[in-house]
Amino acid sequence: DSVSGVDLHPQTNNANHHTREISLTRLIVRRGQPFKLTLNLRQPFNASIQPLHISAATGKRPTEKQGTLSFFGVPDVVKRSPSAKAVWKVELDKGSSTVTGNLILTITPPADTPIGEYTMTVKHRDQEMVLAKPVVLFNPWCPDDWVYLKDENEINEYVMNEQGIIYRGSSTYIGSCNWDFGQFEDNMVDICLRMLDLNPKYMKDPGDDVSARCNPIYVSRVVSAMINSVDDSGVLEGNWSGSYPNGVSPSHWTGSYAILKRWFDTGSYPVKYGQCWVYAGVMCSVMRLLGFPCRVVTNFESAHDNDRNLTIDVYHADYGVRETPSPDSIWNFHVWVEAWMRRPDLAKDGKYDGWQVLDPTPQEKSQGVYCCGPAPVVAILNGETDLKYDTPFVFAEVNADCIDWLVKADGSKVNIFSDTARVGQNISTKSVGSNKRMNITDSYKYREGASQKLPEVLFRAIEQDVFYVIFRMFLFLWLLYIILNQHLWGILVGFRIELKSQRLRFEYHWGPFLPFPIPLPSSHVYCLFSNESKNIQKTLTFEISTCFFFLLCCE
């Protein structure tokens, strides 16, 4: 044999790759960052005559085109496919001794390689052998990785910290519970990799699924789906009934590892039972292990907009009318996670990079699967509800209007009460480096009634319809002048602007009144025009509806 031995230096490599907490004996590295191993040959090494050929493969059907198979070597004269993606690199370290055959190899998996366990093989002379089976994770320390986070303190909190706090209760009485994420406990790597391998997309096409694991957007959606067990072999079974047969109450759990280990040890059978904060805590553990910066977030007075109309509708029956059940609801609190990643699929300029909402609690299907996100927090803030993934649903959770309707006998509905401020209160997460609660509501929504610049979309709407608006206002002033000069009825003009998370509603109200005190029915005839936008985006068009008002006049 030409190879006498291999030293993977797991302790040194794992320390350099911030994976020492996971294992001291298993090689676990992060993509986009080099690691070293020592290859001992029985004879001197002559690169030009007898080069080293190395391969790295992951998944059942690895191919160069999908980035799941890479060929490289010393020297790098390996024949590759023209369509090869995610090519690994190797360099011969200066400390190597070619005379004695002691080779120190510096190997770098690219920053866009799929995460997972790899099999590395080496071929020298006529011998081919397995060199190593490293596990490759996302790398928040690498600027070229989509999960890169610049602040070291935030990485320590959102990737390395195994202890956390989850907030529960109500918006007026915020409680907290300690949560042990335990992302570096024994077998957590195998648990998380099994989770990826059991997802339905992998079952359907293992090659495509493993290839897509280069993308943190894709992986985060898979994890979101696999934490619940509604339509797959997921980790947790939900239960909100108050009765927990053959399982335990969700409040029993104080950490993720006991849940994940039970799921792993029982052949991936769903663990009973969980609710939103348990789902979120378990997902945060998996995400941190895989290398995502991740945190648990609680939204108080959280809306569930079942019909996705951005309102929470409550129906009250008029006399003799059958009650109409509401499909929508508001929870005292709801818990999800945020993961930090880039979103080049939405914008190349980084506009939507940063925190993304992911919700593993099974509420509504997303592209046919019970998962939610990633939805950019900045898109939720700006009401850009046309963006992937599930942004309208999350937007409604923090920003929906609560509307009470009176349902009449003829089926018509009358708005009897609206509350634009109830939903989305005290959105909270644990602070960096301390156990204090951090209120992040302002990152999700603009404060009610706060003065701010009118959004760009307003100016665009005015610009598009400026002549139309001027004409209508001129008509109104002309009619007002005639009415007042002819001693006719006056006009009461009411004007209101409602600014709520850049959803703008303009209403001009008109009501007849006399200049002397005579009781009249409180009839209102309106409006000049109303202007409402539901989506704020660069290509938004406003729907402007105009209705003429009627004047009752007398000589």
Side-chain angles (χ1 to χ4, degrees), residues 55-112:
S55 67
T58 185
K60 289 183 178 180
R61 303 169 188 171
T63 65
E64 289 184 274
K65 184 177 181 180
Q66 291 181 310
T68 51
L69 174 63
S70 183
F71 295 108
F72 50 107
V74 180
D76 192 16
V77 292
V78 178
K79 291 183 179 180
R80 299 189 184 94
S81 168
S83 60
K85 296 179 181 178
V87 177
W88 291 44
K89 296 180 180 179
V90 61
E91 294 179 354
L92 195 61
D93 192 88
K94 294 179 180 179
S96 302
S97 174
T98 57
V99 176
T100 62
N102 183 263
L103 307 182
I104 302 174
L105 305 178
T106 301
I107 299 174
T108 306
D112 61 348

Side-chain angles (χ1 to χ4, degrees), residues 481-490 514-516 553-555:
Y481 172 78
I482 293 176
I483 292 168
L484 294 178
N485 276 317
Q486 296 297 322
H487 303 287
L488 303 178
W489 288 40
L514 289 173
F516 41 86
C553 49
C554 59
E555 292 293 338

Side-chain angles (χ1 to χ4, degrees), residues 303-313 328 380 383-386 390-403 405 419-420 423 498 500-503 505 532-536:
H304 184 163
D305 179 24
N306 189 68
D307 52 11
R308 304 200 176 193
N309 64 350
L310 304 183
T311 61
I312 302 301
D313 301 301
D328 302 329
I380 297 165
E384 296 176 276
T385 56
D386 61 316
D390 309 303
T391 306
F393 184 78
V394 183
F395 177 86
E397 287 185 299
V398 301
N399 238 324
D401 293 344
C402 301
I403 301 179
W405 300 93
D419 187 346
T420 63
V423 169
E498 179 182 321
K500 177 176 171 56
S501 286
Q502 295 192 6
R503 288 190 295 129
R505 185 179 296 115
E532 179 176 356
S533 72
K534 292 185 178 179
N535 293 326
I536 302 300

Side-chain angles (χ1 to χ4, degrees), residues 7 30 48 122 183 302 379 385 514:
D7 187 350
R30 299 189 186 273
S48 59
V122 60
Q183 67 266 35
S302 187
T385 56
L514 289 173

Side-chain angles (χ1 to χ4, degrees), residues 351-352 377-384 394-395 398-401 420-427 439-457 498-504 533 536-537:
K351 178 180 179 181
Y352 302 105
V377 173
V378 67
I380 297 165
L381 174 68
N382 293 322
E384 296 176 276
V394 183
F395 177 86
V398 301
N399 238 324
D401 293 344
T420 63
R422 176 183 174 185
V423 169
Q425 299 291 323
N426 292 320
I427 303 174
N439 190 321
I440 57 172
T441 307
D442 288 347
S443 66
Y444 278 86
K445 56 191 293 188
Y446 294 106
R447 297 185 182 184
E448 299 289 339
S451 61
Q452 53 187 299
K453 293 182 179 179
L454 287 175
E456 175 184 335
V457 67
E498 179 182 321
L499 180 54
K500 177 176 171 56
S501 286
Q502 295 192 6
R503 288 190 295 129
L504 296 145
S533 72
I536 302 300
Q537 49 183 294

